[in-house]
Amino acid sequence: MESKILLPILGSYIALSLLSFGAYAIDKSAARKGEWRISEGNLHLLDFLGGWPGAWLAQKFLRHKTSKASFQRIYWVTVILHCACVGWLLSPYGSDALHALGRG
């Protein structure tokens, strides 16, 4: 992989992970106070877009959403789907598709 693309990818993972960790922290705080919550769908969307490392850390350190089995199942599906998409984009097929989009 070209080094000029590696830094933006790493930066996006860090930014999305921080955003995801923050969203889990806000949701945990709201749950304790009985206030408006962040929807599980939005948390999963952040996870899928690349914030899953931050979500995993938030689940471990904040102990949030760890005991809800249905949430955990969907969380791990989003992680697998995200990794599959990234793997495809890094493959020759995905690289060709990205190059074709850039030329269009």
Side-chain angles (χ1 to χ4, degrees), residues 48 76-86:
F48 174 74
W76 286 109
V77 167
T78 63
V79 172
I80 291 166
L81 288 173
H82 172 83
C83 292
C85 289
V86 170

Side-chain angles (χ1 to χ4, degrees), residues 53-75:
W56 182 79
L57 290 172
Q59 290 174 30
K60 297 304 170 199
F61 288 110
L62 304 175
R63 297 179 188 265
H64 189 49
K65 298 289 188 183
T66 56
S67 62
K68 190 172 182 185
S70 61
F71 184 89
Q72 285 298 304
R73 277 192 298 277
I74 296 171
Y75 168 76

